[in-house]
Amino acid sequence: MCSSQIVGNLEMSTQLHGALNSRAISTTPTPTTAKTIRKAYTSIYLFLHTHYLFCLLLILHIISFAVCEIIPTEILSRKEREELREEARDMFYHAYYAYMDNGYPADELMPLSCKGRYRGITPSRGDMDDVLGNFSMTLVDTLDTLVLLGDLSEFEISVKYVIRDVQFDNDIIVSVFETNIRMIGGLLSAHLLSEYLQKNVDIMPWYRGELLEMARDLGYRLLPAFNTTTGIPHARINLRYGMKDDQLKRSTETCTACAGTMLLEFAALSRLTGDPIFEARAHAAMDALWKLRHRGSDLMGTVLNVHSGDWVRRDSGVGAGIDSYYEYLFKSYILLGDDKYLARFNRHYNAVMKYVSDGPLFLDVLMHRPHAKSRNFMDALLAFWPGLQVLSGHLKPAVQTHEMLYQVMQMHNFIPEAFTMDFQIHWGQHHLRPEFIESTYFLYRATGDHHYLQVGKKVLKALQKYAKVPCGYAAVNDVRTGKHEDRMDSFVLSETFKYLYLLFTEPRDLLINLDEFIFTTEAHLLPLSLAQLGNTSYNFRQAEEHNIMDFMRTCPSSNKLFPEKVRQPLRNLVTGSCPRSPATKKLLAVDFQASNADHLRTVYDMGITMVSLGDGKVRLFHSFYNAKSPEDGEMGLMFMEEMIELTKMQSLNQLAQLQAVAYKKDGIKSNDWIALMAGPSHFGPELIEDNFVEGEVIIADPIRACGPVLKNAEKARAKIVIAERGDCTFVSKARVVQSAGALALIVCDNTPGSSGEFQPMFAMSGDGVNDVHIPVVFMFSQEFNKLSAAMHNKPEMQVRIMQMIEFKRWQMTKESKAKNDTITLKATESTEETTTSTSTTMHTTKKTKPDKEL
């Protein structure tokens, strides 16, 4: 097991320890002294003894990091911190009592209407209301925050309210994921804290585990969702009738985070109740998800089919739809002590930092084409990532991404729900989410840097100025206008104000030692001692092959290098007021264009020369001696490595993505097939491995299939339709053809003379809506002309659409079989001829022998 003990001098342990207690994460800041610095460098020396080259390069890179003029962080006095702590406490109570006085026992408070939000009574918001179950969610979600604030009397009263008023036998469809993290997590945390207070503070003598029994009851109500072919749970369930609902039976999709954020709560529920089924189901779901990763990139998509395991959305990032899956991989290792989750996390983390990360930015890519960006904006949920990086020991990138997010927040007062690469607003809402302040808290606990107290102060003042209303705190509908929205999610009390309060509070002032607990994704507290209650998981290293590096940590680093010098180059990332050298903007191989003069100058400075080979091809050569500086030379070497890997990936991807439109050469009875090259699409199902579509072909009417319907829709049913490029988007043509009941669509190019032989094949792009369920391929003009000629000679011709590499494999198998059959046939004929010849010779001998004797 890998210990990740984090202290103020940022000394990261890189050894694999077997002791269970070493998994506890200490976040107590240590003053930077000569002794601690010597200790840090002693650790570096010992580590370099076995990992010299890697660590040396890393440390040199950090030291040589280009910076603007360093501006010292203003130190917050103890008095100011206490004032901010009390202001955070007051903010919590302003929202809490607004809910209790005007909303309880509803699930949420509507702060503008100043009344509760009930499922089935308050006007529906569609899928957003799946979080509601008419089970007083905000109060349950908030119970452990009261303990951290030291308000034990209110905690005891609230626990009694929950036991008295909350019940789950409701004919309501709820989100399995949200019910787990908010309700089961809240009940378990409150139960554990009730027993803790009973034992250590001598209060609540009447408590007999009622909250745990409620959590067990709710857990059993969620279990039917796991009855799927893959073991991955359904996204929704009826609290009373389980999956016995026609609406639920038709729903087969869930998100990766929804399915992968069950284990902490379910494992705790099993270990506290002694019923192993909850933990077993959650482990099985995590195992099923791991098997669905893309084996080439180690990335995951965001939406999948719970029965087939097919990916519905292949976008891969760290934000919405996948965020807490990564979080629960690492935290499951910490809480349960199972190495397999550390190994899986590290594999995914390395893939994310390789393909998704672009410095401090994170843009979604396609899991099966990781060099292709799938969108040009980032969502607010990625703000949790720096906090997770802190816990896993990756401080430098955590500081960088957090700094980028802080600048976005300063630019717009809040971090908008989504923003573009140039930090403009994509979606303007702000729901008072906790992820940014959560990461701020963990960075402060790890570094002791008062910069993060200043960040927290900025967040606190923004909430007070732009979100506070007479009846609680209201979400912001648009950060540009400041218009409010009539919602205050339960996480505002359970997470946002909790982390804000903890940021300004000294650990010694809390009733409990947070180093003995782990926060769930909803900021509920689970004790690390749960690992001692038994573990139903198995030893991962015996179950699957992993490289030892999958279990490794990062190199140790001194507080002397973090985090101020890391933040400084990013200080004006958003505003651009601090001039940055072009050299600090890393040119990625995937972005390089030989026709771009700036790119050519950049690679020249890196010591790279380019020789044209004709046909649009170039050859690159790298030399450290030609580089403008040693740093440029190192960047050039990294660029060349990226280019080599990119070339390999592109070759493999092009081969894997290439489609074949095949038909029989001489008619229906022929066994000889001709395959024409075709390109794939980014929408619709992929024809991979031995999957194919076969049917009669027909030309669309109108030829470009851009009308609302096809004129020959009846004839197109159950056939493969051909349409010409132009007048509307590829995906629009697909929808029109699909509505006619066609099997597939072939789009032919409208540029005469185009051919896949000398033009790069491309994949047709969609519009982000996954409603196309038929395969769609693209053919250049010359390839289509061959198909058209064959169709002219053979009316009602059948074609087969499949992966080109699978067609080649299929043909080779047929040829090999035919060759073996021919050899067998020749061998049989040869045997027959030999037998005949021998028989004839023998007959002749028998005939002539008597003559000679005569």
Side-chain angles (χ1 to χ4, degrees):
M1 300 171 196
C2 185
S3 172
S4 59
Q5 192 173 26
I6 300 175
V7 293
N9 61 10
L10 306 185
E11 177 183 323
M12 304 299 167
S13 173
T14 57
Q15 308 300 315
L16 303 178
H17 299 295
L20 178 65
N21 291 336
S22 67
R23 283 191 305 277
I25 296 181
S26 172
T27 56
T28 304
T30 302
T32 302
T33 63
K35 181 178 180 180
T36 58
I37 293 176
R38 285 196 303 272
K39 181 179 178 182
Y41 280 104
T42 301
S43 299
I44 291 177
Y45 171 76
L46 293 173
F47 187 83
L48 293 182
H49 192 67
T50 53
H51 300 281
Y52 176 80
L53 184 58
F54 175 78
C55 289
L56 182 59
L57 288 174
L58 176 62
I59 294 169
L60 287 176
H61 176 68
I62 295 168
I63 294 174
S64 63
F65 210 94
V67 297
C68 299
E69 181 180 345
I70 295 178
I71 304 172
T73 300
E74 181 184 350
I75 303 298
L76 259 67
S77 66
R78 181 176 180 82
K79 178 182 178 182
E80 187 174 4
R81 288 178 60 186
E82 290 175 350
E83 289 174 350
L84 290 169
R85 180 192 67 194
E86 293 310 307
E87 187 171 0
R89 183 198 299 271
D90 292 341
M91 293 169 71
F92 168 84
Y93 281 117
H94 176 69
Y96 175 76
Y97 285 121
Y99 165 74
M100 293 301 294
D101 294 342
N102 305 285
Y104 184 80
D107 283 321
E108 291 179 350
L109 171 70
M110 296 191 293
L112 302 183
S113 306
C114 207
K115 60 183 181 181
R117 187 186 301 280
Y118 291 90
R119 187 77 174 271
I121 300 176
T122 310
S124 174
R125 300 175 297 173
D127 290 346
M128 287 176 58
D129 283 343
D130 286 342
V131 69
L132 309 176
N134 289 345
F135 37 36
S136 304
M137 180 177 63
T138 294
L139 181 59
V140 174
D141 211 6
T142 305
L143 290 174
D144 54 10
T145 308
L146 291 167
V147 175
L148 291 177
L149 268 63
D151 194 345
L152 303 187
S153 60
E154 184 64 26
F155 172 73
E156 183 172 4
I157 293 170
S158 297
V159 168
K160 290 180 178 179
Y161 281 153
V162 170
I163 295 172
R164 184 192 70 189
D165 299 335
V166 175
Q167 56 88 30
F168 306 121
D169 189 26
N170 304 324
D171 184 10
I172 294 177
I173 294 175
V174 297
S175 163
V176 174
F177 160 70
E178 297 287 1
T179 303
N180 174 60
I181 64 172
R182 302 196 198 199
M183 293 299 297
I184 293 183
L187 290 168
L188 291 175
S189 180
H191 160 72
L192 289 161
L193 291 174
S194 296
E195 290 195 333
Y196 176 88
L197 296 174
Q198 224 178 24
K199 179 179 179 181
N200 296 283
V201 189
D202 197 26
I203 64 170
M204 301 178 67
W206 53 268
Y207 181 72
R208 295 292 183 270
E210 291 89 346
L211 296 178
L212 179 59
E213 287 305 311
M214 294 176 69
R216 188 211 298 258
D217 175 22
L218 188 53
Y220 276 121
R221 293 176 186 273
L222 298 185
L223 279 181
F226 289 81
N227 295 332
T228 62
T229 308
T230 60
I232 296 171
H234 283 277
R236 299 170 179 83
I237 196 167
N238 188 295
L239 287 175
R240 178 176 294 169
Y241 300 113
M243 297 304 298
K244 298 175 182 179
D245 186 294
D246 292 337
Q247 180 182 347
L248 293 174
K249 291 177 181 177
R250 292 192 298 269
S251 177
T252 60
E253 296 177 3
T254 191
C255 70
T256 306
C258 300
T261 313
M262 304 292 295
L263 185 51
L264 293 189
E265 291 83 1
F266 268 39
L269 186 56
S270 281
R271 298 182 184 210
L272 292 171
T273 63
D275 191 339
I277 189 170
F278 303 107
E279 183 172 356
R281 291 296 181 91
H283 277 300
M286 293 292 268
D287 292 343
L289 286 172
W290 172 249
K291 292 176 183 177
L292 296 178
R293 75 194 185 283
H294 190 275
R295 301 304 174 94
S297 66
D298 276 332
L299 293 174
M300 304 281 285
T302 52
V303 180
L304 68 153
N305 186 298
V306 297
H307 291 300
S308 66
D310 293 335
W311 289 104
V312 178
R313 287 192 65 90
R314 295 177 175 84
D315 306 67
S316 188
V318 297
I322 197 171
D323 49 355
S324 51
Y325 164 71
Y326 297 128
E327 180 184 1
Y328 270 40
L329 282 176
F330 188 73
K331 289 184 176 180
S332 293
Y333 161 69
I334 296 174
L335 183 66
L336 308 179
D338 196 331
D339 281 358
K340 71 179 179 182
Y341 294 115
L342 173 63
R344 292 177 184 181
F345 171 80
N346 284 337
R347 289 274 289 276
H348 285 318
Y349 180 84
N350 292 334
V352 165
M353 299 307 290
K354 181 177 182 179
Y355 297 117
V356 182
S357 171
D358 184 5
L361 310 181
F362 287 82
L363 290 172
D364 283 13
V365 301
L366 298 172
M367 60 179 285
H368 57 305
R369 290 190 282 269
H371 292 290
K373 302 295 184 185
S374 63
R375 65 184 191 181
N376 64 349
F377 62 89
M378 295 164 275
D379 64 70
L381 287 172
L382 73 82
F384 92 101
W385 188 253
L388 183 59
Q389 288 179 310
V390 171
L391 293 180
S392 59
H394 301 92
L395 263 293
K396 180 180 176 180
V399 170
Q400 291 174 325
T401 299
H402 182 274
E403 179 64 20
M404 178 272 293
L405 292 166
Y406 181 41
Q407 292 183 41
V408 172
M409 180 227 154
Q410 293 179 94
M411 185 178 187
H412 302 294
N413 296 322
F414 293 110
I415 297 177
E417 192 68 5
F419 54 93
T420 60
M421 287 184 65
D422 57 352
F423 313 109
Q424 301 305 307
I425 294 171
H426 185 76
W427 296 325
Q429 306 94 326
H430 178 72
H431 300 146
L432 315 185
R433 293 193 184 278
E435 287 78 14
F436 179 65
I437 195 65
E438 173 188 359
S439 290
T440 304
Y441 165 73
F442 282 116
L443 276 164
Y444 175 68
R445 298 301 304 136
T447 66
D449 188 343
H450 278 230
H451 167 78
Y452 299 108
L453 295 178
Q454 296 286 359
V455 173
K457 177 181 178 181
K458 190 86 173 181
V459 173
L460 183 149
K461 297 301 181 183
L463 288 169
Q464 291 285 66
K465 183 175 182 180
Y466 300 108
K468 188 175 183 179
V469 294
C471 194
Y473 287 81
V476 179
N477 185 260
D478 192 325
V479 297
R480 289 163 291 202
T481 64
K483 181 182 177 182
H484 287 130
E485 186 176 347
D486 199 9
R487 64 182 287 187
M488 188 180 80
D489 293 85
S490 68
F491 56 67
V492 176
L493 287 166
S494 70
E495 296 184 80
T496 305
F497 291 139
K498 178 184 292 176
Y499 283 122
L500 201 56
Y501 176 81
L502 290 176
L503 176 63
F504 299 114
T505 303
E506 291 290 342
R508 62 175 176 269
D509 294 333
L510 297 172
L511 285 174
I512 61 176
N513 181 6
L514 290 181
D515 291 341
E516 297 175 357
F517 293 82
I518 191 168
F519 286 109
T520 69
T521 193
E522 192 72 7
H524 294 307
L525 295 166
L526 295 178
L528 296 175
S529 57
L530 280 176
Q532 301 171 2
L533 298 181
N535 194 335
T536 62
S537 60
Y538 54 89
N539 189 307
F540 184 58
R541 297 192 207 183
Q542 295 177 357
E544 294 186 32
E545 291 185 4
H546 271 268
N547 190 290
I548 189 65
M549 291 304 293
D550 293 338
F551 300 91
M552 292 298 288
R553 277 287 180 273
T554 57
C555 287
S557 52
S558 166
N559 202 23
K560 186 176 182 180
L561 303 180
F562 289 103
E564 184 66 20
K565 287 189 177 182
V566 177
R567 284 200 308 272
Q568 288 304 320
L570 303 171
R571 182 172 292 279
N572 297 278
L573 179 69
V574 174
T575 63
S577 59
C578 175
R580 286 176 289 158
S581 167
T584 62
K585 175 66 175 178
K586 181 182 176 183
L587 176 62
L588 301 177
V590 69
D591 298 327
F592 175 71
Q593 296 177 357
S595 59
N596 187 309
D598 291 334
H599 290 186
L600 292 177
R601 279 193 295 270
T602 300
V603 297
Y604 181 79
D605 290 343
M606 292 190 293
I608 297 173
T609 54
M610 188 170 63
V611 177
S612 176
L613 301 178
D615 297 329
K617 298 179 180 179
V618 296
R619 178 171 292 167
L620 302 179
F621 299 90
H622 177 257
S623 171
F624 269 103
Y625 299 103
N626 294 333
K628 188 176 180 180
S629 67
E631 293 78 11
D632 288 315
E634 184 179 341
M635 289 178 64
L637 180 60
M638 296 170 61
F639 178 87
M640 293 294 287
E641 292 174 349
E642 289 178 6
M643 187 62 75
I644 292 171
E645 183 178 354
L646 179 62
T647 303
K648 290 179 181 178
M649 287 291 296
Q650 287 177 339
S651 299
L652 291 173
N653 285 341
Q654 288 175 0
L655 181 62
Q657 295 168 24
L658 201 61
Q659 304 292 299
V661 176
Y663 57 92
K664 292 184 178 180
K665 186 175 183 180
D666 298 318
I668 297 176
K669 296 182 179 180
S670 173
N671 285 325
D672 294 331
W673 288 72
I674 295 175
L676 301 173
M677 189 187 311
S681 64
H682 285 310
F683 53 89
E686 283 188 298
L687 296 176
I688 57 175
E689 298 178 350
D690 57 352
N691 296 323
F692 64 88
V693 173
E694 185 171 348
E696 183 183 337
V697 287
I698 185 172
I699 303 294
D701 182 14
I703 183 65
R704 293 194 169 178
C706 289
V709 294
L710 295 179
K711 293 180 181 179
N712 58 343
E714 291 186 5
K715 295 181 179 179
R717 184 175 299 278
K719 295 180 182 178
I720 297 175
V721 176
I722 297 173
E724 187 182 52
R725 182 181 187 178
D727 292 344
C728 61
T729 62
F730 294 121
V731 72
S732 297
K733 298 178 191 291
R735 291 185 180 116
V736 171
V737 170
Q738 178 177 269
S739 67
L743 292 176
L745 170 64
I746 300 173
V747 180
C748 61
D749 199 6
N750 58 357
T751 304
S754 63
S755 173
E757 294 294 333
F758 54 84
Q759 289 179 269
M761 188 59 72
F762 68 94
M764 295 175 286
S765 61
D767 56 7
V769 180
N770 292 305
D771 58 354
V772 176
H773 308 299
I774 61 172
V776 184
V777 297
F778 177 84
M779 297 184 73
F780 283 113
S781 296
Q782 291 191 21
E783 285 75 20
F784 175 71
N785 289 340
K786 296 176 183 178
L787 177 64
S788 180
M791 291 170 58
H792 182 73
N793 295 329
K794 306 180 188 100
E796 300 181 355
M797 186 178 75
Q798 299 266 333
V799 302
R800 176 179 292 189
I801 303 175
M802 63 191 302
Q803 213 173 9
M804 180 63 81
I805 193 170
E806 289 300 322
F807 175 83
K808 298 289 187 184
R809 186 178 291 119
W810 176 53
Q811 288 293 91
M812 290 173 62
T813 303
K814 285 174 56 182
E815 291 171 3
S816 177
K817 185 176 183 299
K819 185 177 180 180
N820 291 336
D821 290 344
T822 302
I823 293 172
T824 303
L825 179 60
K826 288 182 178 180
T828 304
E829 291 174 351
S830 176
T831 303
E832 290 175 353
E833 289 175 3
T834 304
T835 303
T836 304
S837 175
T838 304
S839 301
T840 304
T841 304
M842 290 176 64
H843 177 71
T844 304
T845 304
K846 288 179 181 179
K847 183 177 181 179
T848 57
K849 186 175 182 179
D851 290 344
K852 287 183 178 180
E853 289 178 345
L854 289 172

